[in-house]
Each structure stands twice: as C-alpha cells, then as structure tokens.
Amino acid sequence: MYVGIGYDIHKFVKNRKLILGGICFDYPLGLLGHSDADVVLHAIGDAILGAASLGDIGELFPDTDSKWKDVSSHILLNKIMELIKERGLGINNVDVTFIAQEPKISKQKKEMSKRISEILEVEPERVNIKATTTEGLDSIGRSEAAAAQAVVTLIQTAEK
Ligand code: CDP
Ligand code: ZN
C-alpha cells in the first residue's frame, strides 16, 4: 500500500466556469488557472503522483506549455492513471477535503464522488468527499479562493 497527499488552491475570478471534481457548478465566479483550475482534481492528482513517487502535477503538465491551456483536468487525471497503471498500481481509496466559504457542495457531493470514481476506475464507495469553510476567516473565508486537500492510497494490482 502506498500513501500520497495533495493540496491545491486557486483564486476566484469572474467569467470562468466553476468546475469541481469534474462537475460544473452554477456559481457566479470560477477558478483561475492554466487548465480548468479544478482544485479538487488537482489535489487528487498530486496525491496519486505522491503515492507513486512520480513528482507533481506542475512538473508533468507545466503551465508554460500551451498544450494544457484550459484543458479539462480529467484529461490530466487520465494521463496520471496511465502512468500508475504502467507500474502495476491502482487506486485503493481517496479522501478529499474541499475548503471554501462558497459554494456549498453538499448536494453535489455524491455526483462528484461518482464522477471521480469513474475517472479513477474505482468503486464510488472508495471516494469520500468532505467540505469545510474557514468560518469567514482569511482569503478563503472572504470567498477569494477555494482549496482542496486529498489523501490517496494505491495498491499493487498487477506485476510490474
Ligand atoms: O467546522 P465545520 O467544517 O463542521 O463547519 P462548516 O465549515 O461551517 O461546514 C459545515 C458543513 O457544510 C460541512 O460539514 C460541509 O459538509 C458543508 N460544506 C459544504 O457543503 N460546502 C462548503 N464549501 C463548505 C462546507
Ligand atoms: Zn490547480
């Protein structure tokens, strides 16, 4: 069993779609970033790479490379899945904390874990999504940004 951790934060701006965990949210602001800035999928991607000792998302998909501009983050996760499968590894479980004052994601949490489980080729029961505010404190509390933390465990599913 291999354990990895991931953290990411993006700034809220106008005129961007808000995509979290591969799901589009009805919210007046979106997150700013080179790709679609899906902070939840980015934290998960980094946790997978961490568990497999493969560096981080920024190294694999540099924001200086126009190839990754506005790309859906599930494409990045598909590439990360290819890399771990080449090493005979698969996802065991995923635990995420989404940190934002707004929007509240409770109603979409189930849909989010289902979407993530499809991307990661694992049962939805093995993808847990949590959310918390920062009680109105700091930049996240002022709704200027949203962050996510993720822990992923990987298991050896095939011989290398
Ligand atoms: O301190 P605690 O996390 O319990 O309280 P909170 O930050 O006020 O969040 C209360 C509940 O709202 C959490 O248990 C989350 O499930 C939910 N929540 C959410 O759905 N979306 C957010 N952006 C933040 C919190
Ligand atoms: Zn990111």
Side-chain angles (χ1 to χ4, degrees), residues 74-106:
H74 73 85
I75 303 287
L76 310 184
L77 281 198
N78 288 343
K79 299 229 174 271
I80 291 171
M81 285 305 293
E82 276 173 32
L83 288 176
I84 68 160
K85 281 198 264 178
E86 277 168 18
R87 287 161 176 76
L89 296 169
I91 306 289
N92 180 59
N93 85 307
V94 178
D95 187 21
V96 177
T97 304
F98 173 66
I99 311 160
Q101 202 62 37
E102 294 288 339
K104 300 293 188 286
I105 63 160
S106 310

PDB file of all heavy atoms in Angstrom, residues 74-106:
ATOM      1  N   HIS A  74      -9.854  16.322 -15.981  1.00  0.00           N
ATOM      2  CA  HIS A  74      -9.989  14.858 -16.029  1.00  0.00           C
ATOM      3  C   HIS A  74      -9.040  14.258 -17.074  1.00  0.00           C
ATOM      4  O   HIS A  74      -8.603  13.124 -16.939  1.00  0.00           O
ATOM      5  CB  HIS A  74     -11.449  14.412 -16.219  1.00  0.00           C
ATOM      6  CG  HIS A  74     -12.009  14.627 -17.572  1.00  0.00           C
ATOM      7  ND1 HIS A  74     -11.844  13.744 -18.615  1.00  0.00           N
ATOM      8  CD2 HIS A  74     -12.737  15.641 -18.052  1.00  0.00           C
ATOM      9  CE1 HIS A  74     -12.453  14.220 -19.679  1.00  0.00           C
ATOM     10  NE2 HIS A  74     -13.001  15.366 -19.368  1.00  0.00           N
ATOM     11  N   ILE A  75      -8.662  15.072 -18.074  1.00  0.00           N
ATOM     12  CA  ILE A  75      -7.669  14.619 -19.063  1.00  0.00           C
ATOM     13  C   ILE A  75      -6.309  14.427 -18.365  1.00  0.00           C
ATOM     14  O   ILE A  75      -5.593  13.452 -18.623  1.00  0.00           O
ATOM     15  CB  ILE A  75      -7.513  15.655 -20.217  1.00  0.00           C
ATOM     16  CG1 ILE A  75      -8.858  15.921 -20.896  1.00  0.00           C
ATOM     17  CG2 ILE A  75      -6.431  15.271 -21.219  1.00  0.00           C
ATOM     18  CD1 ILE A  75      -9.368  14.804 -21.777  1.00  0.00           C
ATOM     19  N   LEU A  76      -5.984  15.347 -17.455  1.00  0.00           N
ATOM     20  CA  LEU A  76      -4.725  15.239 -16.708  1.00  0.00           C
ATOM     21  C   LEU A  76      -4.757  13.985 -15.826  1.00  0.00           C
ATOM     22  O   LEU A  76      -3.776  13.238 -15.745  1.00  0.00           O
ATOM     23  CB  LEU A  76      -4.476  16.483 -15.843  1.00  0.00           C
ATOM     24  CG  LEU A  76      -4.600  17.862 -16.511  1.00  0.00           C
ATOM     25  CD1 LEU A  76      -4.217  18.968 -15.533  1.00  0.00           C
ATOM     26  CD2 LEU A  76      -3.727  17.959 -17.751  1.00  0.00           C
ATOM     27  N   LEU A  77      -5.909  13.755 -15.188  1.00  0.00           N
ATOM     28  CA  LEU A  77      -6.011  12.560 -14.323  1.00  0.00           C
ATOM     29  C   LEU A  77      -5.952  11.272 -15.155  1.00  0.00           C
ATOM     30  O   LEU A  77      -5.376  10.272 -14.706  1.00  0.00           O
ATOM     31  CB  LEU A  77      -7.288  12.590 -13.491  1.00  0.00           C
ATOM     32  CG  LEU A  77      -7.281  13.478 -12.255  1.00  0.00           C
ATOM     33  CD1 LEU A  77      -8.390  13.088 -11.305  1.00  0.00           C
ATOM     34  CD2 LEU A  77      -5.973  13.435 -11.516  1.00  0.00           C
ATOM     35  N   ASN A  78      -6.522  11.296 -16.376  1.00  0.00           N
ATOM     36  CA  ASN A  78      -6.422  10.113 -17.243  1.00  0.00           C
ATOM     37  C   ASN A  78      -4.954   9.789 -17.515  1.00  0.00           C
ATOM     38  O   ASN A  78      -4.544   8.634 -17.509  1.00  0.00           O
ATOM     39  CB  ASN A  78      -7.138  10.349 -18.582  1.00  0.00           C
ATOM     40  CG  ASN A  78      -8.646  10.368 -18.439  1.00  0.00           C
ATOM     41  OD1 ASN A  78      -9.191   9.905 -17.434  1.00  0.00           O
ATOM     42  ND2 ASN A  78      -9.333  10.913 -19.426  1.00  0.00           N
ATOM     43  N   LYS A  79      -4.156  10.835 -17.759  1.00  0.00           N
ATOM     44  CA  LYS A  79      -2.722  10.627 -18.035  1.00  0.00           C
ATOM     45  C   LYS A  79      -2.007  10.081 -16.801  1.00  0.00           C
ATOM     46  O   LYS A  79      -1.164   9.193 -16.898  1.00  0.00           O
ATOM     47  CB  LYS A  79      -2.055  11.940 -18.471  1.00  0.00           C
ATOM     48  CG  LYS A  79      -2.633  12.535 -19.725  1.00  0.00           C
ATOM     49  CD  LYS A  79      -1.537  12.907 -20.721  1.00  0.00           C
ATOM     50  CE  LYS A  79      -2.106  13.372 -22.049  1.00  0.00           C
ATOM     51  NZ  LYS A  79      -2.341  12.326 -23.023  1.00  0.00           N
ATOM     52  N   ILE A  80      -2.386  10.613 -15.621  1.00  0.00           N
ATOM     53  CA  ILE A  80      -1.780  10.134 -14.372  1.00  0.00           C
ATOM     54  C   ILE A  80      -2.151   8.665 -14.146  1.00  0.00           C
ATOM     55  O   ILE A  80      -1.316   7.856 -13.728  1.00  0.00           O
ATOM     56  CB  ILE A  80      -2.210  11.037 -13.192  1.00  0.00           C
ATOM     57  CG1 ILE A  80      -1.578  12.420 -13.339  1.00  0.00           C
ATOM     58  CG2 ILE A  80      -1.842  10.412 -11.851  1.00  0.00           C
ATOM     59  CD1 ILE A  80      -2.090  13.477 -12.364  1.00  0.00           C
ATOM     60  N   MET A  81      -3.407   8.300 -14.462  1.00  0.00           N
ATOM     61  CA  MET A  81      -3.844   6.903 -14.322  1.00  0.00           C
ATOM     62  C   MET A  81      -3.022   5.986 -15.238  1.00  0.00           C
ATOM     63  O   MET A  81      -2.640   4.893 -14.841  1.00  0.00           O
ATOM     64  CB  MET A  81      -5.340   6.751 -14.617  1.00  0.00           C
ATOM     65  CG  MET A  81      -6.256   7.253 -13.522  1.00  0.00           C
ATOM     66  SD  MET A  81      -5.929   6.530 -11.902  1.00  0.00           S
ATOM     67  CE  MET A  81      -6.403   4.827 -12.186  1.00  0.00           C
ATOM     68  N   GLU A  82      -2.750   6.460 -16.468  1.00  0.00           N
ATOM     69  CA  GLU A  82      -1.918   5.656 -17.389  1.00  0.00           C
ATOM     70  C   GLU A  82      -0.552   5.392 -16.768  1.00  0.00           C
ATOM     71  O   GLU A  82      -0.041   4.280 -16.826  1.00  0.00           O
ATOM     72  CB  GLU A  82      -1.700   6.413 -18.712  1.00  0.00           C
ATOM     73  CG  GLU A  82      -2.826   6.252 -19.709  1.00  0.00           C
ATOM     74  CD  GLU A  82      -2.632   7.165 -20.924  1.00  0.00           C
ATOM     75  OE1 GLU A  82      -1.474   7.433 -21.307  1.00  0.00           O
ATOM     76  OE2 GLU A  82      -3.652   7.619 -21.450  1.00  0.00           O
ATOM     77  N   LEU A  83       0.032   6.446 -16.172  1.00  0.00           N
ATOM     78  CA  LEU A  83       1.367   6.312 -15.569  1.00  0.00           C
ATOM     79  C   LEU A  83       1.391   5.298 -14.434  1.00  0.00           C
ATOM     80  O   LEU A  83       2.321   4.489 -14.321  1.00  0.00           O
ATOM     81  CB  LEU A  83       1.849   7.667 -15.029  1.00  0.00           C
ATOM     82  CG  LEU A  83       2.241   8.718 -16.051  1.00  0.00           C
ATOM     83  CD1 LEU A  83       2.587  10.022 -15.336  1.00  0.00           C
ATOM     84  CD2 LEU A  83       3.424   8.233 -16.878  1.00  0.00           C
ATOM     85  N   ILE A  84       0.359   5.321 -13.570  1.00  0.00           N
ATOM     86  CA  ILE A  84       0.401   4.384 -12.435  1.00  0.00           C
ATOM     87  C   ILE A  84       0.085   2.961 -12.903  1.00  0.00           C
ATOM     88  O   ILE A  84       0.630   2.000 -12.382  1.00  0.00           O
ATOM     89  CB  ILE A  84      -0.467   4.830 -11.225  1.00  0.00           C
ATOM     90  CG1 ILE A  84      -1.956   4.777 -11.525  1.00  0.00           C
ATOM     91  CG2 ILE A  84      -0.050   6.190 -10.700  1.00  0.00           C
ATOM     92  CD1 ILE A  84      -2.804   4.721 -10.249  1.00  0.00           C
ATOM     93  N   LYS A  85      -0.795   2.852 -13.912  1.00  0.00           N
ATOM     94  CA  LYS A  85      -1.130   1.512 -14.416  1.00  0.00           C
ATOM     95  C   LYS A  85       0.089   0.846 -15.055  1.00  0.00           C
ATOM     96  O   LYS A  85       0.277  -0.358 -14.919  1.00  0.00           O
ATOM     97  CB  LYS A  85      -2.303   1.584 -15.401  1.00  0.00           C
ATOM     98  CG  LYS A  85      -3.645   1.700 -14.685  1.00  0.00           C
ATOM     99  CD  LYS A  85      -4.804   1.350 -15.584  1.00  0.00           C
ATOM    100  CE  LYS A  85      -5.390   2.588 -16.184  1.00  0.00           C
ATOM    101  NZ  LYS A  85      -6.499   2.323 -17.104  1.00  0.00           N
ATOM    102  N   GLU A  86       0.922   1.665 -15.718  1.00  0.00           N
ATOM    103  CA  GLU A  86       2.174   1.135 -16.290  1.00  0.00           C
ATOM    104  C   GLU A  86       3.048   0.503 -15.199  1.00  0.00           C
ATOM    105  O   GLU A  86       3.838  -0.383 -15.468  1.00  0.00           O
ATOM    106  CB  GLU A  86       3.003   2.272 -16.916  1.00  0.00           C
ATOM    107  CG  GLU A  86       2.591   2.642 -18.315  1.00  0.00           C
ATOM    108  CD  GLU A  86       3.246   3.951 -18.771  1.00  0.00           C
ATOM    109  OE1 GLU A  86       4.257   4.367 -18.156  1.00  0.00           O
ATOM    110  OE2 GLU A  86       2.711   4.543 -19.721  1.00  0.00           O
ATOM    111  N   ARG A  87       2.890   1.013 -13.973  1.00  0.00           N
ATOM    112  CA  ARG A  87       3.666   0.485 -12.840  1.00  0.00           C
ATOM    113  C   ARG A  87       2.916  -0.589 -12.070  1.00  0.00           C
ATOM    114  O   ARG A  87       3.321  -0.981 -10.983  1.00  0.00           O
ATOM    115  CB  ARG A  87       4.051   1.645 -11.907  1.00  0.00           C
ATOM    116  CG  ARG A  87       5.140   2.512 -12.497  1.00  0.00           C
ATOM    117  CD  ARG A  87       5.206   3.870 -11.844  1.00  0.00           C
ATOM    118  NE  ARG A  87       6.330   4.633 -12.384  1.00  0.00           N
ATOM    119  CZ  ARG A  87       6.343   5.215 -13.582  1.00  0.00           C
ATOM    120  NH1 ARG A  87       5.291   5.146 -14.359  1.00  0.00           N
ATOM    121  NH2 ARG A  87       7.394   5.876 -13.998  1.00  0.00           N
ATOM    122  N   GLY A  88       1.778  -1.026 -12.608  1.00  0.00           N
ATOM    123  CA  GLY A  88       1.000  -2.085 -11.966  1.00  0.00           C
ATOM    124  C   GLY A  88       0.239  -1.610 -10.742  1.00  0.00           C
ATOM    125  O   GLY A  88      -0.148  -2.409  -9.888  1.00  0.00           O
ATOM    126  N   LEU A  89       0.012  -0.277 -10.650  1.00  0.00           N
ATOM    127  CA  LEU A  89      -0.674   0.274  -9.476  1.00  0.00           C
ATOM    128  C   LEU A  89      -2.106   0.683  -9.810  1.00  0.00           C
ATOM    129  O   LEU A  89      -2.414   1.029 -10.960  1.00  0.00           O
ATOM    130  CB  LEU A  89       0.085   1.504  -8.953  1.00  0.00           C
ATOM    131  CG  LEU A  89       1.492   1.273  -8.414  1.00  0.00           C
ATOM    132  CD1 LEU A  89       2.222   2.598  -8.194  1.00  0.00           C
ATOM    133  CD2 LEU A  89       1.444   0.481  -7.106  1.00  0.00           C
ATOM    134  N   GLY A  90      -2.974   0.632  -8.808  1.00  0.00           N
ATOM    135  CA  GLY A  90      -4.360   1.094  -8.956  1.00  0.00           C
ATOM    136  C   GLY A  90      -4.773   1.831  -7.701  1.00  0.00           C
ATOM    137  O   GLY A  90      -4.101   1.767  -6.668  1.00  0.00           O
ATOM    138  N   ILE A  91      -5.929   2.532  -7.780  1.00  0.00           N
ATOM    139  CA  ILE A  91      -6.420   3.306  -6.641  1.00  0.00           C
ATOM    140  C   ILE A  91      -7.058   2.362  -5.612  1.00  0.00           C
ATOM    141  O   ILE A  91      -7.852   1.486  -5.973  1.00  0.00           O
ATOM    142  CB  ILE A  91      -7.493   4.322  -7.093  1.00  0.00           C
ATOM    143  CG1 ILE A  91      -6.983   5.225  -8.222  1.00  0.00           C
ATOM    144  CG2 ILE A  91      -8.026   5.135  -5.906  1.00  0.00           C
ATOM    145  CD1 ILE A  91      -5.947   6.230  -7.837  1.00  0.00           C
ATOM    146  N   ASN A  92      -6.705   2.544  -4.348  1.00  0.00           N
ATOM    147  CA  ASN A  92      -7.375   1.814  -3.265  1.00  0.00           C
ATOM    148  C   ASN A  92      -8.486   2.673  -2.662  1.00  0.00           C
ATOM    149  O   ASN A  92      -9.631   2.240  -2.616  1.00  0.00           O
ATOM    150  CB  ASN A  92      -6.359   1.426  -2.192  1.00  0.00           C
ATOM    151  CG  ASN A  92      -7.019   0.672  -1.055  1.00  0.00           C
ATOM    152  OD1 ASN A  92      -7.619  -0.373  -1.279  1.00  0.00           O
ATOM    153  ND2 ASN A  92      -6.938   1.212   0.150  1.00  0.00           N
ATOM    154  N   ASN A  93      -8.149   3.886  -2.226  1.00  0.00           N
ATOM    155  CA  ASN A  93      -9.188   4.821  -1.790  1.00  0.00           C
ATOM    156  C   ASN A  93      -8.711   6.263  -1.878  1.00  0.00           C
ATOM    157  O   ASN A  93      -7.503   6.530  -2.012  1.00  0.00           O
ATOM    158  CB  ASN A  93      -9.710   4.495  -0.383  1.00  0.00           C
ATOM    159  CG  ASN A  93      -8.862   5.094   0.712  1.00  0.00           C
ATOM    160  OD1 ASN A  93      -7.653   4.892   0.733  1.00  0.00           O
ATOM    161  ND2 ASN A  93      -9.476   5.843   1.614  1.00  0.00           N
ATOM    162  N   VAL A  94      -9.675   7.168  -1.860  1.00  0.00           N
ATOM    163  CA  VAL A  94      -9.408   8.600  -1.997  1.00  0.00           C
ATOM    164  C   VAL A  94     -10.222   9.324  -0.925  1.00  0.00           C
ATOM    165  O   VAL A  94     -11.399   9.020  -0.739  1.00  0.00           O
ATOM    166  CB  VAL A  94      -9.876   9.111  -3.387  1.00  0.00           C
ATOM    167  CG1 VAL A  94      -9.651  10.608  -3.529  1.00  0.00           C
ATOM    168  CG2 VAL A  94      -9.190   8.355  -4.512  1.00  0.00           C
ATOM    169  N   ASP A  95      -9.594  10.263  -0.231  1.00  0.00           N
ATOM    170  CA  ASP A  95     -10.317  11.096   0.736  1.00  0.00           C
ATOM    171  C   ASP A  95      -9.976  12.559   0.463  1.00  0.00           C
ATOM    172  O   ASP A  95      -8.787  12.911   0.408  1.00  0.00           O
ATOM    173  CB  ASP A  95      -9.922  10.695   2.166  1.00  0.00           C
ATOM    174  CG  ASP A  95     -10.759  11.414   3.205  1.00  0.00           C
ATOM    175  OD1 ASP A  95     -11.855  11.892   2.870  1.00  0.00           O
ATOM    176  OD2 ASP A  95     -10.309  11.494   4.371  1.00  0.00           O
ATOM    177  N   VAL A  96     -11.002  13.375   0.260  1.00  0.00           N
ATOM    178  CA  VAL A  96     -10.799  14.770  -0.145  1.00  0.00           C
ATOM    179  C   VAL A  96     -11.453  15.710   0.863  1.00  0.00           C
ATOM    180  O   VAL A  96     -12.548  15.434   1.356  1.00  0.00           O
ATOM    181  CB  VAL A  96     -11.449  15.029  -1.532  1.00  0.00           C
ATOM    182  CG1 VAL A  96     -11.304  16.492  -1.941  1.00  0.00           C
ATOM    183  CG2 VAL A  96     -10.868  14.118  -2.587  1.00  0.00           C
ATOM    184  N   THR A  97     -10.793  16.826   1.158  1.00  0.00           N
ATOM    185  CA  THR A  97     -11.440  17.935   1.852  1.00  0.00           C
ATOM    186  C   THR A  97     -11.442  19.139   0.918  1.00  0.00           C
ATOM    187  O   THR A  97     -10.372  19.605   0.509  1.00  0.00           O
ATOM    188  CB  THR A  97     -10.722  18.310   3.168  1.00  0.00           C
ATOM    189  OG1 THR A  97     -10.643  17.155   4.000  1.00  0.00           O
ATOM    190  CG2 THR A  97     -11.485  19.398   3.913  1.00  0.00           C
ATOM    191  N   PHE A  98     -12.633  19.600   0.568  1.00  0.00           N
ATOM    192  CA  PHE A  98     -12.777  20.826  -0.220  1.00  0.00           C
ATOM    193  C   PHE A  98     -12.959  21.961   0.768  1.00  0.00           C
ATOM    194  O   PHE A  98     -13.775  21.862   1.692  1.00  0.00           O
ATOM    195  CB  PHE A  98     -13.988  20.693  -1.151  1.00  0.00           C
ATOM    196  CG  PHE A  98     -14.329  21.957  -1.880  1.00  0.00           C
ATOM    197  CD1 PHE A  98     -13.458  22.481  -2.828  1.00  0.00           C
ATOM    198  CD2 PHE A  98     -15.508  22.635  -1.617  1.00  0.00           C
ATOM    199  CE1 PHE A  98     -13.754  23.656  -3.508  1.00  0.00           C
ATOM    200  CE2 PHE A  98     -15.816  23.817  -2.292  1.00  0.00           C
ATOM    201  CZ  PHE A  98     -14.933  24.318  -3.235  1.00  0.00           C
ATOM    202  N   ILE A  99     -12.185  23.044   0.598  1.00  0.00           N
ATOM    203  CA  ILE A  99     -12.218  24.149   1.561  1.00  0.00           C
ATOM    204  C   ILE A  99     -12.639  25.430   0.843  1.00  0.00           C
ATOM    205  O   ILE A  99     -11.894  25.954   0.004  1.00  0.00           O
ATOM    206  CB  ILE A  99     -10.823  24.346   2.215  1.00  0.00           C
ATOM    207  CG1 ILE A  99     -10.266  23.002   2.712  1.00  0.00           C
ATOM    208  CG2 ILE A  99     -10.906  25.349   3.371  1.00  0.00           C
ATOM    209  CD1 ILE A  99      -8.755  22.997   2.915  1.00  0.00           C
ATOM    210  N   ALA A 100     -13.847  25.883   1.127  1.00  0.00           N
ATOM    211  CA  ALA A 100     -14.360  27.113   0.515  1.00  0.00           C
ATOM    212  C   ALA A 100     -15.515  27.649   1.352  1.00  0.00           C
ATOM    213  O   ALA A 100     -16.266  26.866   1.930  1.00  0.00           O
ATOM    214  CB  ALA A 100     -14.856  26.847  -0.908  1.00  0.00           C
ATOM    215  N   GLN A 101     -15.634  28.970   1.377  1.00  0.00           N
ATOM    216  CA  GLN A 101     -16.773  29.571   2.082  1.00  0.00           C
ATOM    217  C   GLN A 101     -18.052  29.356   1.263  1.00  0.00           C
ATOM    218  O   GLN A 101     -19.088  29.019   1.792  1.00  0.00           O
ATOM    219  CB  GLN A 101     -16.495  31.075   2.279  1.00  0.00           C
ATOM    220  CG  GLN A 101     -17.282  31.703   3.399  1.00  0.00           C
ATOM    221  CD  GLN A 101     -16.968  31.101   4.775  1.00  0.00           C
ATOM    222  OE1 GLN A 101     -15.824  30.766   5.056  1.00  0.00           O
ATOM    223  NE2 GLN A 101     -17.985  30.935   5.604  1.00  0.00           N
ATOM    224  N   GLU A 102     -17.903  29.525  -0.064  1.00  0.00           N
ATOM    225  CA  GLU A 102     -18.966  29.330  -1.043  1.00  0.00           C
ATOM    226  C   GLU A 102     -18.350  28.719  -2.287  1.00  0.00           C
ATOM    227  O   GLU A 102     -17.189  29.007  -2.568  1.00  0.00           O
ATOM    228  CB  GLU A 102     -19.613  30.675  -1.420  1.00  0.00           C
ATOM    229  CG  GLU A 102     -20.358  31.366  -0.296  1.00  0.00           C
ATOM    230  CD  GLU A 102     -21.678  30.683   0.062  1.00  0.00           C
ATOM    231  OE1 GLU A 102     -22.191  29.938  -0.806  1.00  0.00           O
ATOM    232  OE2 GLU A 102     -22.159  30.864   1.177  1.00  0.00           O
ATOM    233  N   PRO A 103     -19.053  27.978  -3.111  1.00  0.00           N
ATOM    234  CA  PRO A 103     -20.399  27.480  -2.881  1.00  0.00           C
ATOM    235  C   PRO A 103     -20.407  26.296  -1.927  1.00  0.00           C
ATOM    236  O   PRO A 103     -19.373  25.637  -1.756  1.00  0.00           O
ATOM    237  CB  PRO A 103     -20.837  27.022  -4.279  1.00  0.00           C
ATOM    238  CG  PRO A 103     -19.563  26.572  -4.920  1.00  0.00           C
ATOM    239  CD  PRO A 103     -18.498  27.479  -4.382  1.00  0.00           C
ATOM    240  N   LYS A 104     -21.568  26.018  -1.361  1.00  0.00           N
ATOM    241  CA  LYS A 104     -21.734  24.811  -0.562  1.00  0.00           C
ATOM    242  C   LYS A 104     -21.938  23.649  -1.536  1.00  0.00           C
ATOM    243  O   LYS A 104     -22.690  23.786  -2.505  1.00  0.00           O
ATOM    244  CB  LYS A 104     -22.953  24.942   0.368  1.00  0.00           C
ATOM    245  CG  LYS A 104     -22.839  26.106   1.352  1.00  0.00           C
ATOM    246  CD  LYS A 104     -21.735  25.895   2.368  1.00  0.00           C
ATOM    247  CE  LYS A 104     -21.711  26.938   3.485  1.00  0.00           C
ATOM    248  NZ  LYS A 104     -21.209  28.267   3.097  1.00  0.00           N
ATOM    249  N   ILE A 105     -21.240  22.574  -1.297  1.00  0.00           N
ATOM    250  CA  ILE A 105     -21.247  21.480  -2.285  1.00  0.00           C
ATOM    251  C   ILE A 105     -22.031  20.251  -1.818  1.00  0.00           C
ATOM    252  O   ILE A 105     -22.063  19.236  -2.525  1.00  0.00           O
ATOM    253  CB  ILE A 105     -19.805  21.055  -2.659  1.00  0.00           C
ATOM    254  CG1 ILE A 105     -19.056  20.497  -1.432  1.00  0.00           C
ATOM    255  CG2 ILE A 105     -19.036  22.210  -3.292  1.00  0.00           C
ATOM    256  CD1 ILE A 105     -17.871  19.636  -1.804  1.00  0.00           C
ATOM    257  N   SER A 106     -22.642  20.338  -0.621  1.00  0.00           N
ATOM    258  CA  SER A 106     -23.304  19.155  -0.034  1.00  0.00           C
ATOM    259  C   SER A 106     -24.183  18.400  -1.029  1.00  0.00           C
ATOM    260  O   SER A 106     -24.106  17.173  -1.120  1.00  0.00           O
ATOM    261  CB  SER A 106     -24.172  19.562   1.145  1.00  0.00           C
ATOM    262  OG  SER A 106     -23.437  20.365   2.007  1.00  0.00           O
TER     263      SER A 106
END
